Coordinates of all heavy atoms in Angstrom, one line a residue:
V11 N 110.9 -71.6 115.0 CA 110.5 -72.5 116.0 C 109.4 -73.4 115.4 O 108.3 -73.6 116.1 CB 110.0 -71.7 117.2 CG1 109.7 -72.7 118.4 CG2 110.9 -70.7 117.7
A12 N 109.6 -73.9 114.2 CA 108.6 -74.7 113.6 C 108.3 -76.0 114.4 O 109.2 -76.7 114.8 CB 109.1 -75.1 112.2
G13 N 107.0 -76.2 114.8 CA 106.7 -77.4 115.5 C 107.0 -77.2 117.0 O 106.8 -78.2 117.7
G14 N 107.5 -76.1 117.4 CA 107.9 -75.9 118.8 C 106.7 -75.5 119.7 O 105.6 -75.4 119.2
T15 N 107.0 -75.3 121.0 CA 105.9 -74.9 121.9 C 105.9 -73.4 122.0 O 106.8 -72.7 121.6 CB 106.2 -75.5 123.3 OG1 107.4 -74.9 123.8 CG2 106.4 -77.1 123.2
A16 N 104.9 -72.9 122.7 CA 104.7 -71.5 122.9 C 105.9 -71.0 123.8 O 106.4 -69.9 123.6 CB 103.4 -71.2 123.6
A17 N 106.3 -71.9 124.7 CA 107.5 -71.5 125.6 C 108.7 -71.3 124.7 O 109.5 -70.4 125.0 CB 107.7 -72.5 126.7
D18 N 108.9 -72.2 123.8 CA 110.1 -72.1 122.9 C 110.0 -70.8 122.1 O 111.0 -70.1 121.9 CB 110.2 -73.3 121.9 CG 110.4 -74.6 122.6 OD1 110.9 -74.6 123.7 OD2 110.0 -75.7 122.0
A19 N 108.9 -70.5 121.5 CA 108.7 -69.3 120.7 C 108.9 -68.1 121.6 O 109.6 -67.1 121.1 CB 107.3 -69.3 120.1
K20 N 108.4 -68.1 122.8 CA 108.7 -66.9 123.7 C 110.1 -66.7 124.0 O 110.6 -65.6 124.0 CB 107.9 -67.1 125.0 CG 106.4 -66.9 124.9 CD 105.7 -67.1 126.2 CE 104.2 -67.1 126.1 NZ 103.6 -67.4 127.5
T21 N 110.8 -67.8 124.2 CA 112.2 -67.8 124.5 C 113.0 -67.2 123.4 O 113.9 -66.3 123.6 CB 112.8 -69.2 124.9 OG1 112.1 -69.7 126.0 CG2 114.3 -69.2 125.2
V22 N 112.7 -67.7 122.2 CA 113.4 -67.2 121.0 C 113.2 -65.7 120.8 O 114.1 -64.9 120.6 CB 113.0 -67.9 119.7 CG1 113.5 -67.3 118.4 CG2 113.5 -69.4 119.8
L23 N 111.9 -65.3 120.9 CA 111.6 -63.8 120.8 C 112.2 -63.0 121.9 O 112.8 -61.9 121.6 CB 110.1 -63.7 120.7 CG 109.6 -62.2 120.5 CD1 110.1 -61.7 119.2 CD2 108.1 -62.2 120.5
A24 N 112.2 -63.5 123.1 CA 112.8 -62.7 124.2 C 114.3 -62.6 124.0 O 114.9 -61.5 124.3 CB 112.5 -63.4 125.5
E25 N 115.0 -63.6 123.5 CA 116.4 -63.5 123.3 C 116.7 -62.5 122.2 O 117.7 -61.7 122.3 CB 117.0 -64.9 122.9 CG 117.0 -65.8 124.1 CD 117.4 -67.2 123.7 OE1 117.6 -67.5 122.5 OE2 117.6 -68.1 124.6
L26 N 115.9 -62.5 121.1 CA 116.2 -61.5 120.1 C 115.9 -60.1 120.5 O 116.7 -59.2 120.3 CB 115.2 -61.8 118.9 CG 115.6 -63.0 118.0 CD1 114.5 -63.3 117.1 CD2 116.9 -62.8 117.3
L27 N 114.8 -59.9 121.3 CA 114.5 -58.5 121.7 C 115.4 -58.1 122.9 O 115.5 -56.9 123.2 CB 113.0 -58.5 122.1 CG 112.1 -58.6 121.0 CD1 110.6 -58.6 121.5 CD2 112.3 -57.6 119.9
G28 N 116.0 -59.1 123.6 CA 116.8 -58.8 124.7 C 118.2 -58.2 124.4 O 119.0 -57.8 125.2
Q29 N 118.6 -58.3 123.1 CA 119.8 -57.8 122.6 C 119.9 -56.2 122.9 O 118.9 -55.6 122.5 CB 120.1 -58.1 121.2 CG 120.2 -59.6 120.9 CD 120.3 -59.8 119.4 OE1 120.6 -59.0 118.6 NE2 120.0 -61.1 119.0
T30 N 120.9 -55.8 123.5 CA 120.9 -54.3 123.8 C 120.9 -53.4 122.6 O 120.5 -52.3 122.7 CB 122.2 -54.0 124.7 OG1 123.4 -54.4 124.0 CG2 122.1 -54.7 126.0
S31 N 121.4 -53.9 121.5 CA 121.5 -53.0 120.3 C 120.4 -53.2 119.3 O 120.4 -52.6 118.3 CB 122.8 -53.3 119.6 OG 122.9 -54.6 119.1
V32 N 119.3 -54.0 119.7 CA 118.3 -54.3 118.8 C 117.6 -53.0 118.2 O 117.3 -52.9 117.0 CB 117.2 -55.3 119.4 CG1 116.4 -54.6 120.4 CG2 116.4 -55.9 118.3
A33 N 117.3 -52.0 119.1 CA 116.6 -50.8 118.6 C 117.4 -50.1 117.5 O 116.8 -49.6 116.6 CB 116.4 -49.9 119.8
Q34 N 118.7 -50.0 117.7 CA 119.5 -49.4 116.7 C 119.7 -50.2 115.4 O 119.7 -49.8 114.3 CB 120.9 -49.0 117.2 CG 120.8 -47.9 118.3 CD 120.5 -48.5 119.7 OE1 120.8 -49.6 120.0 NE2 119.8 -47.7 120.5
E35 N 119.9 -51.5 115.6 CA 120.2 -52.5 114.5 C 119.1 -52.6 113.5 O 119.3 -52.6 112.3 CB 120.6 -53.8 115.1 CG 121.9 -53.9 115.8 CD 123.1 -53.5 114.9 OE1 123.1 -54.0 113.7 OE2 124.0 -52.8 115.3
V36 N 117.8 -52.6 114.0 CA 116.7 -52.9 113.1 C 116.5 -51.7 112.2 O 115.8 -51.8 111.2 CB 115.4 -53.3 113.8 CG1 115.6 -54.6 114.6 CG2 115.0 -52.2 114.8
L37 N 117.0 -50.5 112.6 CA 116.7 -49.3 111.8 C 117.8 -49.1 110.7 O 117.7 -48.3 109.8 CB 116.6 -48.1 112.7 CG 115.4 -48.0 113.5 CD1 115.4 -46.8 114.4 CD2 114.1 -48.1 112.7
K38 N 118.9 -49.9 110.8 CA 120.0 -49.7 109.8 C 119.6 -50.5 108.5 O 118.9 -51.5 108.6 CB 121.3 -50.4 110.3 CG 121.9 -49.6 111.5 CD 123.1 -50.3 112.0 CE 123.7 -49.6 113.2 NZ 124.9 -50.3 113.7
P39 N 120.0 -50.0 107.4 CA 119.7 -50.7 106.1 C 120.1 -52.2 106.2 O 119.5 -53.0 105.6 CB 120.4 -49.9 105.1 CG 120.5 -48.5 105.6 CD 120.7 -48.7 107.1
D40 N 121.3 -52.5 106.8 CA 121.7 -53.9 106.9 C 121.1 -54.6 108.0 O 121.4 -55.8 108.3 CB 123.2 -53.9 107.0 CG 123.8 -53.2 108.2 OD1 123.1 -52.4 108.8 OD2 125.0 -53.4 108.5
G41 N 120.1 -54.0 108.7 CA 119.4 -54.7 109.8 C 118.3 -55.5 109.3 O 117.5 -56.1 110.1
K42 N 118.1 -55.7 108.0 CA 117.0 -56.5 107.4 C 117.0 -57.9 108.0 O 115.9 -58.4 108.2 CB 117.1 -56.4 105.9 CG 115.9 -57.0 105.2 CD 116.0 -56.8 103.7 CE 114.8 -57.4 103.1 NZ 114.8 -57.1 101.6
A43 N 118.1 -58.5 108.1 CA 118.1 -59.9 108.6 C 117.6 -60.0 110.0 O 116.8 -60.9 110.3 CB 119.6 -60.4 108.5
L44 N 118.0 -59.1 110.9 CA 117.5 -59.1 112.2 C 116.0 -58.9 112.3 O 115.3 -59.5 113.0 CB 118.2 -58.1 113.1 CG 117.8 -58.0 114.6 CD1 117.9 -59.3 115.3 CD2 118.6 -56.9 115.3
R45 N 115.5 -57.9 111.5 CA 114.1 -57.6 111.4 C 113.3 -58.9 111.0 O 112.3 -59.2 111.5 CB 113.8 -56.5 110.5 CG 114.1 -55.1 111.0 CD 113.6 -54.0 110.2 NE 113.9 -54.0 108.8 CZ 115.0 -53.6 108.2 NH1 115.9 -53.0 109.0 NH2 115.2 -53.7 106.9
G46 N 113.9 -59.6 110.0 CA 113.3 -60.8 109.5 C 113.2 -61.9 110.6 O 112.2 -62.6 110.7
R47 N 114.3 -62.1 111.4 CA 114.3 -63.0 112.4 C 113.3 -62.7 113.5 O 112.6 -63.6 114.0 CB 115.7 -63.2 113.0 CG 116.7 -63.9 112.1 CD 117.9 -64.4 112.8 NE 118.6 -63.4 113.6 CZ 119.5 -62.5 113.1 NH1 119.9 -62.5 111.8 NH2 120.1 -61.7 113.9
I48 N 113.2 -61.4 113.8 CA 112.2 -61.0 114.8 C 110.8 -61.2 114.3 O 109.9 -61.7 115.0 CB 112.4 -59.5 115.2 CG1 113.7 -59.3 116.0 CG2 111.2 -59.0 116.0 CD1 114.1 -57.9 116.2
D49 N 110.5 -60.9 113.0 CA 109.2 -61.1 112.5 C 108.8 -62.6 112.4 O 107.7 -62.9 112.7 CB 109.1 -60.5 111.1 CG 109.1 -59.0 111.1 OD1 108.9 -58.4 112.1 OD2 109.4 -58.4 110.0
E50 N 109.8 -63.4 112.1 CA 109.6 -64.9 112.1 C 109.3 -65.4 113.5 O 108.4 -66.2 113.7 CB 110.8 -65.6 111.5 CG 110.9 -65.4 110.0 CD 112.2 -66.0 109.5 OE1 112.9 -66.7 110.3 OE2 112.6 -65.8 108.4
A51 N 110.0 -64.8 114.5 CA 109.7 -65.3 115.9 C 108.3 -64.8 116.4 O 107.6 -65.6 117.1 CB 110.8 -64.7 116.8
I52 N 107.9 -63.6 116.0 CA 106.6 -63.2 116.3 C 105.5 -64.1 115.6 O 104.5 -64.5 116.3 CB 106.4 -61.7 115.9 CG1 107.2 -60.8 116.8 CG2 104.9 -61.3 116.0 CD1 107.3 -59.4 116.3
A53 N 105.7 -64.4 114.4 CA 104.8 -65.2 113.7 C 104.7 -66.6 114.3 O 103.6 -67.2 114.4 CB 105.1 -65.4 112.2
A54 N 105.8 -67.2 114.7 CA 105.9 -68.5 115.4 C 105.1 -68.4 116.7 O 104.3 -69.4 117.0 CB 107.3 -68.9 115.6
L55 N 105.2 -67.4 117.4 CA 104.5 -67.2 118.7 C 103.0 -67.1 118.4 O 102.2 -67.7 119.1 CB 105.0 -66.0 119.5 CG 104.4 -65.8 120.9 CD1 104.6 -67.1 121.7 CD2 105.1 -64.6 121.5
E56 N 102.6 -66.3 117.4 CA 101.2 -66.2 117.0 C 100.6 -67.5 116.7 O 99.5 -67.8 117.0 CB 101.1 -65.2 115.8 CG 101.3 -63.8 116.2 CD 101.3 -62.9 115.0 OE1 101.4 -63.4 113.8 OE2 101.2 -61.7 115.1
R57 N 101.3 -68.4 116.0 CA 100.8 -69.7 115.6 C 100.6 -70.6 116.8 O 99.7 -71.5 116.8 CB 101.8 -70.4 114.6 CG 101.8 -69.9 113.2 CD 102.5 -70.7 112.3 NE 104.0 -70.8 112.6 CZ 104.9 -70.0 112.2 NH1 104.6 -69.0 111.4 NH2 106.2 -70.2 112.5
C58 N 101.2 -70.4 117.9 CA 101.1 -71.2 119.1 C 99.9 -70.7 120.0 O 99.5 -71.4 120.9 CB 102.3 -71.1 120.0 SG 103.8 -71.8 119.2
S59 N 99.3 -69.6 119.6 CA 98.2 -69.0 120.4 C 97.0 -69.9 120.3 O 96.5 -70.1 119.2 CB 97.9 -67.6 120.0 OG 96.8 -67.1 120.8
P60 N 96.4 -70.3 121.5 CA 95.1 -71.0 121.4 C 93.9 -70.1 121.2 O 92.8 -70.5 121.0 CB 95.0 -71.6 122.8 CG 95.8 -70.7 123.7 CD 96.9 -70.1 122.8
T61 N 94.1 -68.8 121.3 CA 93.1 -67.8 121.1 C 92.8 -67.4 119.7 O 93.8 -67.0 119.0 CB 93.4 -66.5 121.9 OG1 93.7 -66.9 123.3 CG2 92.3 -65.5 121.9
E62 N 91.6 -67.6 119.2 CA 91.3 -67.2 117.8 C 91.2 -65.7 117.8 O 90.6 -65.1 118.6 CB 90.0 -67.9 117.4 CG 89.7 -67.7 115.9 CD 88.4 -68.4 115.5 OE1 88.2 -69.6 116.0 OE2 87.7 -67.9 114.7
E63 N 91.9 -65.1 116.8 CA 92.0 -63.7 116.6 C 92.3 -63.0 117.9 O 91.6 -62.2 118.5 CB 90.7 -63.1 116.1 CG 90.3 -63.6 114.7 CD 89.2 -62.9 114.1 OE1 89.1 -61.7 114.2 OE2 88.4 -63.6 113.4
P64 N 93.5 -63.2 118.4 CA 93.9 -62.7 119.7 C 93.9 -61.2 119.8 O 93.7 -60.6 120.9 CB 95.3 -63.3 120.0 CG 95.8 -63.7 118.6 CD 94.6 -64.1 117.8
V65 N 94.1 -60.5 118.7 CA 94.2 -59.1 118.7 C 92.8 -58.5 119.1 O 92.8 -57.4 119.6 CB 94.7 -58.5 117.4 CG1 93.6 -58.6 116.3 CG2 95.1 -57.1 117.5
H66 N 91.8 -59.2 118.9 CA 90.4 -58.8 119.3 C 90.0 -59.3 120.6 O 88.8 -59.1 121.0 CB 89.4 -59.2 118.2 CG 89.7 -58.6 116.8 ND1 89.6 -57.2 116.6 CD2 90.2 -59.1 115.7 CE1 90.0 -57.0 115.3 NE2 90.3 -58.1 114.8
S67 N 90.8 -60.0 121.3 CA 90.5 -60.6 122.6 C 90.6 -59.6 123.7 O 91.5 -58.8 123.7 CB 91.4 -61.8 122.8 OG 91.3 -62.3 124.1
G68 N 89.8 -59.8 124.7 CA 89.9 -59.0 125.9 C 91.2 -59.3 126.7 O 91.6 -58.5 127.5
L69 N 91.8 -60.4 126.3 CA 93.1 -60.7 127.0 C 94.2 -59.7 126.6 O 95.2 -59.7 127.3 CB 93.5 -62.1 126.6 CG 92.6 -63.3 127.0 CD1 93.0 -64.6 126.3 CD2 92.6 -63.4 128.5
M70 N 94.0 -59.0 125.6 CA 95.0 -58.0 125.2 C 94.9 -56.7 125.9 O 95.8 -55.8 125.8 CB 94.9 -57.8 123.6 CG 95.3 -59.0 122.8 SD 97.0 -59.5 123.0 CE 97.8 -58.3 122.1
D71 N 93.8 -56.5 126.6 CA 93.6 -55.2 127.3 C 94.6 -55.1 128.4 O 95.0 -56.0 129.0 CB 92.2 -55.1 127.9 CG 91.1 -55.0 126.9 OD1 91.4 -54.7 125.7 OD2 89.9 -55.3 127.2
G72 N 95.1 -53.8 128.6 CA 96.0 -53.6 129.7 C 97.1 -52.6 129.2 O 97.1 -52.0 128.2
K73 N 98.1 -52.5 130.1 CA 99.2 -51.6 129.8 C 100.4 -52.4 129.3 O 100.7 -53.5 129.8 CB 99.7 -51.0 131.2 CG 100.8 -50.0 131.0 CD 101.2 -49.4 132.4 CE 102.4 -48.5 132.2 NZ 102.8 -48.0 133.5
W74 N 101.0 -51.9 128.2 CA 102.0 -52.7 127.5 C 103.3 -51.8 127.4 O 103.2 -50.6 127.2 CB 101.6 -53.0 126.0 CG 100.5 -54.0 126.0 CD1 99.2 -53.9 126.2 CD2 100.7 -55.4 125.8 NE1 98.5 -55.1 126.1 CE2 99.4 -56.0 125.8 CE3 101.8 -56.2 125.6 CZ2 99.3 -57.4 125.6 CZ3 101.6 -57.6 125.4 CH2 100.4 -58.1 125.4
D75 N 104.4 -52.5 127.5 CA 105.7 -51.8 127.2 C 106.1 -52.4 125.8 O 106.3 -53.6 125.6 CB 106.8 -52.2 128.2 CG 106.5 -51.6 129.6 OD1 106.0 -50.5 129.6 OD2 106.8 -52.3 130.6
V76 N 106.3 -51.5 124.9 CA 106.6 -51.9 123.5 C 108.1 -52.1 123.4 O 108.9 -51.1 123.6 CB 106.1 -50.9 122.5 CG1 106.5 -51.3 121.0 CG2 104.6 -50.7 122.6
S77 N 108.5 -53.3 123.1 CA 110.0 -53.6 122.9 C 110.4 -53.4 121.5 O 111.5 -53.2 121.2 CB 110.3 -55.0 123.4 OG 110.0 -55.1 124.8
Y78 N 109.5 -53.7 120.6 CA 109.8 -53.7 119.1 C 108.5 -53.4 118.4 O 107.5 -54.0 118.7 CB 110.3 -55.0 118.7 CG 110.5 -55.2 117.2 CD1 111.6 -54.7 116.6 CD2 109.6 -55.9 116.5 CE1 111.8 -54.8 115.2 CE2 109.7 -56.0 115.1 CZ 110.9 -55.5 114.5 OH 111.0 -55.7 113.2
S79 N 108.6 -52.5 117.4 CA 107.5 -52.3 116.5 C 108.1 -52.4 115.1 O 109.1 -51.7 114.8 CB 106.7 -51.0 116.7 OG 107.5 -49.9 116.4
G80 N 107.5 -53.2 114.3 CA 108.0 -53.4 112.9 C 108.1 -52.1 112.2 O 107.2 -51.3 112.3
S81 N 109.2 -51.8 111.6 CA 109.4 -50.6 110.8 C 110.3 -50.8 109.7 O 111.2 -51.7 109.7 CB 110.0 -49.5 111.8 OG 110.2 -48.3 111.1
F82 N 110.2 -50.0 108.7 CA 111.1 -50.1 107.6 C 112.4 -49.3 107.9 O 112.4 -48.3 108.6 CB 110.5 -49.5 106.3 CG 109.3 -50.3 105.8 CD1 108.0 -49.8 106.1 CD2 109.5 -51.4 105.2 CE1 106.9 -50.5 105.6 CE2 108.4 -52.2 104.7 CZ 107.1 -51.7 104.9
A83 N 113.5 -49.8 107.4 CA 114.8 -49.1 107.6 C 114.7 -47.8 106.9 O 114.1 -47.6 105.9 CB 115.9 -49.9 107.1
P84 N 115.4 -46.8 107.5 CA 115.4 -45.5 106.8 C 116.1 -45.6 105.5 O 117.1 -46.4 105.3 CB 116.2 -44.6 107.8 CG 117.0 -45.5 108.6 CD 116.2 -46.8 108.7
G85 N 115.7 -44.8 104.5 CA 116.4 -44.7 103.2 C 117.5 -43.7 103.2 O 117.9 -43.1 104.2
I86 N 117.9 -43.4 102.0 CA 118.9 -42.4 101.8 C 118.4 -41.0 102.2 O 119.1 -40.2 102.9 CB 119.4 -42.3 100.3 CG1 120.1 -43.7 100.0 CG2 120.3 -41.2 100.1 CD1 120.4 -43.8 98.5
L87 N 117.1 -40.7 101.9 CA 116.5 -39.5 102.3 C 115.5 -39.7 103.4 O 114.8 -40.7 103.4 CB 115.8 -38.9 101.1 CG 116.6 -38.5 99.8 CD1 115.7 -38.1 98.7 CD2 117.6 -37.5 100.2
S88 N 115.4 -38.8 104.3 CA 114.5 -38.9 105.4 C 113.1 -38.3 104.9 O 113.0 -37.1 104.8 CB 115.0 -38.2 106.6 OG 114.0 -38.2 107.6
L89 N 112.2 -39.1 104.6 CA 110.9 -38.7 104.1 C 109.8 -39.0 105.1 O 109.7 -40.2 105.5 CB 110.6 -39.3 102.7 CG 111.6 -39.0 101.6 CD1 111.3 -39.8 100.4 CD2 111.7 -37.5 101.3
P90 N 108.9 -38.1 105.4 CA 107.9 -38.4 106.4 C 106.9 -39.5 105.9 O 106.2 -40.1 106.7 CB 107.2 -37.1 106.7 CG 107.6 -36.2 105.5 CD 108.9 -36.7 105.0
T91 N 106.8 -39.6 104.6 CA 105.8 -40.6 104.0 C 106.4 -41.9 103.6 O 105.8 -42.7 102.9 CB 105.0 -39.9 102.9 OG1 105.9 -39.6 101.9 CG2 104.2 -38.8 103.4
R92 N 107.7 -42.1 103.9 CA 108.4 -43.3 103.4 C 107.7 -44.6 103.8 O 107.5 -45.4 102.9 CB 109.8 -43.3 103.9 CG 110.6 -44.5 103.5 CD 112.1 -44.4 104.0 NE 112.8 -45.7 103.9 CZ 113.2 -46.3 102.8 NH1 112.8 -45.8 101.6 NH2 113.8 -47.4 102.8
E93 N 107.3 -44.8 105.0 CA 106.7 -46.0 105.4 C 105.4 -46.2 104.7 O 105.1 -47.4 104.3 CB 106.5 -46.1 106.9 CG 107.8 -46.2 107.7 CD 107.7 -46.3 109.1 OE1 106.5 -46.5 109.6 OE2 108.7 -46.3 109.8
V94 N 104.6 -45.2 104.5 CA 103.3 -45.3 103.8 C 103.6 -45.7 102.4 O 102.9 -46.6 101.8 CB 102.5 -44.0 103.9 CG1 101.3 -44.1 103.1 CG2 102.2 -43.7 105.4
S95 N 104.5 -45.1 101.7 CA 104.8 -45.4 100.3 C 105.3 -46.8 100.2 O 104.9 -47.6 99.3 CB 105.9 -44.5 99.8 OG 105.5 -43.1 99.8
L96 N 106.2 -47.3 101.1 CA 106.6 -48.7 101.1 C 105.5 -49.7 101.3 O 105.5 -50.7 100.7 CB 107.8 -48.9 102.0 CG 109.1 -48.2 101.7 CD1 110.1 -48.3 102.8 CD2 109.7 -48.8 100.4
L97 N 104.6 -49.3 102.2 CA 103.5 -50.2 102.4 C 102.6 -50.3 101.2 O 102.1 -51.4 100.8 CB 102.7 -49.6 103.6 CG 101.4 -50.4 104.0 CD1 101.8 -51.8 104.5 CD2 100.6 -49.7 105.0
L98 N 102.3 -49.1 100.6 CA 101.4 -49.1 99.4 C 102.0 -49.7 98.2 O 101.4 -50.4 97.4 CB 100.9 -47.7 99.2 CG 100.0 -47.1 100.2 CD1 99.7 -45.6 99.9 CD2 98.7 -47.9 100.3
Y99 N 103.3 -49.3 97.9 CA 103.9 -49.7 96.6 C 105.0 -50.8 96.8 O 105.6 -51.1 95.8 CB 104.5 -48.4 96.0 CG 103.5 -47.3 95.9 CD1 103.6 -46.2 96.6 CD2 102.4 -47.5 95.0 CE1 102.6 -45.2 96.5 CE2 101.4 -46.5 94.9 CZ 101.5 -45.3 95.6 OH 100.6 -44.4 95.5
G100 N 105.2 -51.2 98.0 CA 106.0 -52.2 98.3 C 107.3 -52.7 97.9 O 108.0 -53.5 97.9

């Protein structure tokens, strides 16, 4: 949503997250493309925010329903430290 409005960015993100299979798709190894599109939509929405450092803003206080949380796809082996290892060693 380069150069788009916040409303455009919200629409794109809502459409991506509104897919009924998104929770299962992003965890599959071949779900990398969908995770990338969601991450790009989130970044586009963040760029539209008039609030400097919104994560530290009181506007973020409240009750939230989490629709998506970025995560790495599972590997061949189920390891409890996989995400930490991928984060550190990338």
Side-chain angles (χ1 to χ4, degrees):
V11 187
T15 66
D18 294 338
K20 286 180 187 179
T21 300
V22 169
L23 183 58
E25 287 173 357
L26 286 169
L27 295 177
Q29 298 175 16
T30 57
S31 62
V32 73
Q34 293 81 30
E35 290 297 317
V36 296
L37 293 177
K38 293 180 181 176
D40 59 342
K42 187 175 183 177
L44 178 57
R45 287 192 307 274
R47 288 196 308 273
I48 291 171
D49 290 344
E50 288 173 10
I52 291 169
L55 185 57
E56 288 174 342
R57 285 190 298 273
C58 295
S59 176
T61 306
E62 189 173 321
E63 296 190 40
V65 75
H66 299 291
S67 168
L69 298 172
M70 296 295 288
D71 292 342
K73 182 179 176 184
W74 289 83
D75 291 324
V76 178
S77 296
Y78 172 81
S79 69
S81 178
F82 295 102
I86 295 171
L87 301 173
S88 177
L89 301 172
T91 59
R92 176 173 168 70
E93 290 185 6
V94 174
S95 297
L96 288 171
L97 178 66
L98 293 175
Y99 305 112

